[in-house]
Amino acid sequence: MNEIVEKKVWWQDAPAIKEFEVKAPWIAEKHQAGQFVVLKVSENGERIPLTVSDKDVKKGTINILFQEVGATTMTLGRLSKGDKILDLTGPLGKPTHIEKFGTVVCIGGGIGVAPVHPIAQAFKAAGNKVISILGARTKGILIYEERMRKTSDEVRITTDDGSYGRHGFVTDELKAMIESGMKIDLVVTIGPAIMMKMVCKVTEPYKIHTYASLNTIMLDGTGMCGACRVTVGGKTKFVCVDGPEFDGHQVNFDEMMARLRQYLDEEKLAREICQKNTCGVR
Ligand code: FAD
Ligand code: FES
Ligand code: MG
C-alpha cells in the first residue's frame, strides 16, 4: 500500500487531469527516465500503467500524473491526500537510452508532457542541448511548463486553439525548426498515438532518429499476457518489456491504434457504471 502525500488537480473539467505524489521509496531509488509503474486501485479493479513523471529520492516519493479517461483513472482520481493506492509495482520497462547526442528535441503532447519530463532531465544531465515542444488543446490544460523550463535550454509551446504559443500542432513547430536549418540529432515524442505517428512522419525524410514511447493497453506489465503487443520493424515486440520506447520510424502505428480501440464498448460500459457509483472506492 502506497500513501498519497500530495494531490494536485491540474484541470477540473472532464476529462480531469490530476497528479499524485506517492510514497514509494524503493521505486524512487531505482527508477530511471522512461520507466513506468503499474497500479491497481481496488481489489476487483484492473491494473493500469502510468509513467513516473517526477520523483524525490530523499523524500522517497514518486509523482504520477493522469487524465481521467475511463473507469480506473476516474476511480484513482477520487482518492485524496492520505489515502493509499492498493498495489503499485515498478519501476517497469526499459529506461530511455541516454547519451550525449547533441541537440535533443523532446516533444510532449497533452498529458504526454509529464512522461517526457524525466527524459528531458536525463538528456540535459548527459550534456545535451534540450529543446522541448509542449502541445496542448488550449492554454488552461498545459501541464508541467515550469518544470520543463527548468530542464530545457528552450521551450516552445503550441496550442490547437492559438490561446498560447504557436497556433497549431507540435508537428508544425517541429517542421518549422527543421526547415529553418536547425541541426537536430534526436527527437523524443510522447503523446497520443496519432501525434507520435505524425511526428515520425515529419522526421523520417530527414533521417532524424526518433524515439516514440508507446502507450498500448497493458495488463501484467511483465511480458506474459501479450496485451501490449506491437509490430516494430516487422517483428512482434511487447511494449512492457521491450519498450516502452522504440524507433518511431519502425513502429506500425495503424495496428497499434486499432488495438487501442478494441475494448471501446466494454470501456464505455465500465465508465457509465463508474459514474453512477463508487467503483469500489469509498
Ligand atoms: P478506459 O476507459 O479503460 O480506457 C481508455 C483508453 O485507454 C482505451 O480506449 C485504451 O486506448 C487505453 N487503455 C485502456 N486500458 C488500458 C490499460 N490497461 N493500459 C494502457 N492503456 C489502456 N496515462 C496517463 O494519464 N498518464 C501517464 O503517465 C500514462 N503513462 C502510460 C505509460 C505507459 C507505458 C502506457 C502503456 C500507458 C500510459 N498511460 C498514461 C495511459 C493509461 O494507462 C490509460 O489512460 C489508462 O489505462 C486508462 O484506463 P481507464 O480504465 O481509466 O480508461
Ligand atoms: Fe502483458 Fe506486456 S502487458 S505482455
Ligand atoms: Mg479501464
Side-chain angles (χ1 to χ4, degrees):
M1 299 262 265
N2 299 77
E3 187 186 344
I4 298 165
V5 295
E6 278 308 329
K7 176 176 183 176
K8 177 176 167 106
V9 178
W10 283 90
W11 181 252
Q12 191 68 263
D13 297 343
I17 301 174
K18 297 177 182 171
E19 180 174 10
F20 290 158
E21 186 181 351
V22 184
K23 198 88 185 152
W26 195 85
I27 300 177
E29 195 189 314
K30 300 282 173 197
H31 164 267
Q32 294 179 60
Q35 291 185 300
F36 60 92
V37 293
V38 166
L39 61 83
K40 201 172 148 182
V41 192
S42 59
E43 199 52 61
N44 299 320
E46 62 181 355
R47 289 155 61 84
I48 62 157
L50 294 175
T51 308
V52 175
S53 58
D54 210 348
K55 64 177 178 179
D56 187 329
V57 179
K58 270 198 199 138
K59 274 169 80 182
T61 59
I62 58 163
N63 290 44
I64 46 174
L65 184 146
F66 57 96
Q67 192 163 29
E68 294 186 1
V69 291
T72 304
T73 45
M74 283 161 61
T75 310
L76 184 65
R78 287 176 186 165
L79 297 179
S80 310
K81 182 175 169 176
D83 286 341
K84 290 187 171 128
I85 295 176
L86 186 63
D87 275 338
L88 189 73
T89 310
L92 297 171
K94 285 195 172 139
T96 303
H97 173 75
I98 305 287
E99 63 174 70
K100 188 168 177 185
F101 288 100
T103 299
V104 178
V105 176
C106 293
I107 305 178
I111 47 133
V113 176
V116 126
H117 171 250
I119 297 174
Q121 269 182 328
F123 275 118
K124 184 74 189 139
N128 293 281
K129 177 176 181 184
V130 174
I131 303 178
S132 297
I133 309 178
L134 319 182
R137 196 162 36 79
T138 188
K139 186 179 180 187
I141 55 171
L142 181 70
I143 52 157
Y144 269 35
E145 180 185 351
E146 211 178 299
R147 277 179 168 102
M148 290 303 284
R149 287 201 185 277
K150 274 193 197 143
T151 198
S152 312
D153 293 277
E154 215 182 294
V155 170
R156 298 173 178 224
I157 289 162
T158 67
T159 49
D160 300 3
D161 65 359
S163 52
Y164 191 36
R166 175 190 279 265
H167 186 178
F169 301 124
V170 291
T171 41
D172 297 323
E173 185 64 33
L174 178 64
K175 225 183 281 173
M177 285 162 68
I178 295 171
E179 285 168 3
S180 75
M182 184 185 286
K183 186 178 172 294
I184 298 172
D185 300 290
L186 179 76
V187 168
V188 182
T189 178
I190 308 184
I194 185 67
M195 183 203 92
M196 294 193 282
K197 177 183 170 177
M198 299 320 287
V199 166
C200 293
K201 274 200 172 199
V202 170
T203 56
E204 198 167 14
Y206 298 93
K207 297 192 171 45
I208 301 172
H209 194 42
T210 303
Y211 294 170
S213 184
L214 306 185
N215 44 12
T216 52
I217 291 178
M218 288 188 182
L219 293 182
D220 64 314
T222 58
M224 288 187 283
C225 71
C228 64
R229 174 172 62 78
V230 283
T231 306
V232 183
K235 293 197 178 109
T236 296
K237 297 281 178 187
F238 292 153
V239 174
C240 65
V241 286
D242 300 319
E245 255 160 44
F246 294 95
D247 175 351
H249 299 151
Q250 302 292 320
V251 174
N252 183 336
F253 281 106
D254 294 336
E255 179 197 63
M256 178 185 150
M257 287 189 279
R259 284 178 60 77
L260 275 170
R261 290 191 295 267
Q262 64 188 321
Y263 301 111
L264 288 184
D265 291 344
E266 290 83 356
E267 287 159 3
K268 182 168 175 276
L269 185 63
R271 198 160 45 244
E272 283 165 5
I273 294 169
C274 194
Q275 276 158 345
K276 282 191 205 132
N277 66 32
T278 59
C279 288
V281 175
R282 286 163 214 290

